[in-house]
Amino acid sequence: MKDLNKEVSAKLELIRNALTETESQGVRLKGTDWFAWATAGGSNTVLLTAETGVAEVLVTLENAWILTDEIEAQRLKDEEISENFQFQINPWADAEARESFVREATNGGKVLCDRPIPHIEKRLPPSLQNHKRVLMSSELERYREIGRKASEAMTEVLKAAKPTWTEYQLAGAGAEALWARGLHPALTLVAGERRLPLYRHATPSSEQIGRLAMMVFCARGYGLYANLTRFVGFGAMADEYKKLHQDIQQIEALALNLCQGGTALNSVYDALKQAYEKYGYANAIREHHQGGTTGYLAREIVANPATTDTLAENMAVAWNPSLPGAKIEDTFAILGDGKLENLTFDPNWPSIEIEARLRPLPLEIG
């Protein structure tokens, strides 16, 4: 708890610097992403699909509060929130009481917010948004734990999979393995043999997976997302699929080589576009997004031709180049000297060395 208090104190200082910078009286953080960031991994999530949760953070130059209602307050105090915050608790049936408190605490002044009320609150400044994307050492330690658990869950499930399983069964087993490790299955995509070459975002169906399947995780823990994709095949993989995977490994390598401080995201996008063309897949860049930075959102920024935001040390990235029937994805932290740490690497999964990095192969069973 001492380390959490230290991290929260550092983040409160960053928030207060933003208040001074913008001459504002309060910062209000409502989203599940910002709440987890400000509280050093605390969760305001009850409904997994919601962008906002059952509590908010309010920070002024003098104080910091958790705003919540009578239903949630005790659990949040007991299980989620460090000692750095006071609690302001309103009756669950009186939402206006919270708004009234915000106006009182900020003296009716300017309030910054991650999800601002139109014409009342203002957006967070870019400086604070950037602080959320650059991870502290304590955040990286939590990220390593999340990535390890997510990749172990993936390996466990795909090694146990059967070709007679439906896509729903495989997705359900994946979600169960994540929950068993304390992770939210924020996204679990599955495509079996027939649907795999047809759809990039293959939400699972009742079809049997057959001889080949892909599973995708966006697994959330402490608010951080571990993103990874893996394939399992039953019997020898067809040569055409082997070539697709070999090509996508080489295409991804060009993007990973650019992941160092100062590189603009659109530069990575352009490199991927050129790589697709080089390997004979000119339209692939248009058929799916290529990923980008990650952290407290599955993608903080998705790279496109116009994203001039630059990468920095201690940012996390998750690229996901894909072809019809092949995809590759892991979550990496950008370390010093341009080095990358694969946060979702599992040594028990088959891999191949590409550009001095171990990258996943399809798991072939039988």
Side-chain angles (χ1 to χ4, degrees):
M1 182 62 76
K2 191 174 186 180
D3 289 341
L4 289 182
N5 290 343
K6 183 178 179 181
E7 180 183 324
V8 172
S9 293
K11 289 175 175 176
L12 291 177
E13 183 177 354
L14 294 173
I15 293 170
R16 287 173 175 138
N17 288 344
L19 285 174
T20 301
E21 169 194 338
T22 59
E23 298 182 337
S24 301
Q25 282 64 55
V27 168
R28 191 176 184 181
L29 304 175
K30 304 174 184 177
T32 57
D33 53 334
W34 279 98
F35 187 92
W37 175 78
T39 59
S43 174
N44 65 351
T45 296
V46 171
L47 181 65
L48 287 184
T49 56
E51 291 187 3
T52 58
V54 297
E56 307 173 23
V57 170
L58 176 66
V59 181
T60 65
L61 287 174
E62 297 81 21
N63 295 294
W65 292 273
I66 300 296
L67 311 180
T68 191
D69 62 38
E70 294 170 327
I71 303 171
E72 312 294 344
Q74 193 59 53
R75 182 184 62 81
L76 292 171
K77 286 181 181 179
D78 292 344
E79 299 178 348
E80 300 290 349
I81 303 302
S82 72
E83 299 169 356
N84 306 68
F85 295 94
Q86 304 174 58
F87 272 73
Q88 175 61 29
I89 305 166
N90 61 273
W92 66 264
D94 188 2
E96 175 54 31
R98 182 180 301 183
E99 302 306 316
S100 178
F101 177 79
V102 171
R103 290 191 294 270
E104 179 183 338
T106 58
N107 296 314
K110 183 164 74 170
V111 175
L112 307 176
C113 186
D114 61 314
R115 288 158 173 82
I117 299 171
H119 313 299
I120 296 176
E121 298 167 336
K122 303 296 183 182
R123 292 193 174 276
L124 299 176
S127 58
L128 193 57
Q129 294 177 23
N130 195 60
H131 285 309
K132 175 165 151 294
R133 296 167 187 155
V134 178
L135 302 165
M136 298 179 178
S137 59
S138 51
E139 291 173 295
L140 279 171
E141 284 302 311
R142 292 197 293 275
Y143 222 152
R144 292 183 178 104
E145 177 189 347
I146 300 313
R148 175 182 57 79
K149 288 180 176 179
S151 60
E152 288 175 354
M154 179 75 81
T155 299
E156 173 186 287
V157 171
L158 290 183
K159 282 188 173 182
K162 306 294 181 188
T164 53
W165 284 12
T166 67
E167 293 173 351
Y168 282 142
Q169 282 178 283
L170 183 55
E176 181 181 7
L178 292 175
W179 276 118
R181 290 165 171 81
L183 303 182
H184 290 167
L187 175 77
T188 310
L189 298 180
V190 170
E193 180 181 6
R194 187 189 73 82
R195 298 173 72 241
L196 177 58
L198 300 179
Y199 313 116
R200 291 298 204 273
H201 282 161
T203 55
S205 77
S206 59
E207 289 189 19
Q208 289 188 352
I209 59 176
R211 293 174 298 174
L212 183 64
M214 174 187 75
M215 186 153 68
V216 181
F217 281 168
C218 292
R220 183 173 64 194
Y222 305 116
L224 295 163
Y225 280 83
N227 312 292
L228 66 156
T229 297
R230 299 289 185 267
F231 286 76
V232 61
F234 302 95
M237 184 175 288
D239 289 344
E240 63 186 278
Y241 277 111
K242 286 184 178 179
K243 183 178 188 305
L244 289 172
H245 282 274
Q246 290 166 356
D247 288 349
I248 209 66
Q249 289 161 358
Q250 297 299 326
I251 291 167
E252 181 209 40
L254 295 174
L256 294 177
N257 287 342
L258 291 173
C259 289
Q260 51 190 300
T263 299
L265 285 172
N266 58 356
S267 297
V268 183
Y269 174 92
D270 291 341
L272 284 166
K273 182 175 184 293
Q274 292 168 17
Y276 282 123
E277 293 169 353
K278 174 184 174 181
Y279 284 88
Y281 309 103
N283 291 326
I285 194 76
R286 301 175 59 183
E287 294 170 349
H288 190 222
H289 77 77
Q290 304 303 304
T293 59
T294 184
Y296 288 97
L297 293 170
R299 294 297 187 274
E300 293 276 353
I301 304 174
V302 173
N304 66 48
T307 44
T308 56
D309 307 77
T310 55
L311 297 173
E313 185 177 328
N314 292 337
M315 276 187 179
V317 293
W319 301 103
N320 50 260
S322 65
L323 295 169
K327 181 169 174 272
I328 192 165
E329 178 185 24
D330 275 296
T331 301
F332 290 87
I334 301 173
L335 305 180
D337 301 322
K339 295 179 181 178
L340 293 177
E341 178 182 352
N342 188 345
L343 301 175
T344 47
F345 174 74
D346 182 358
N348 295 312
W349 186 269
S351 60
I352 186 172
E353 186 171 308
I354 306 289
E355 298 275 353
R357 302 181 195 94
L358 291 176
R359 304 304 299 123
L361 291 166
L363 173 68
E364 295 186 73
I365 298 175

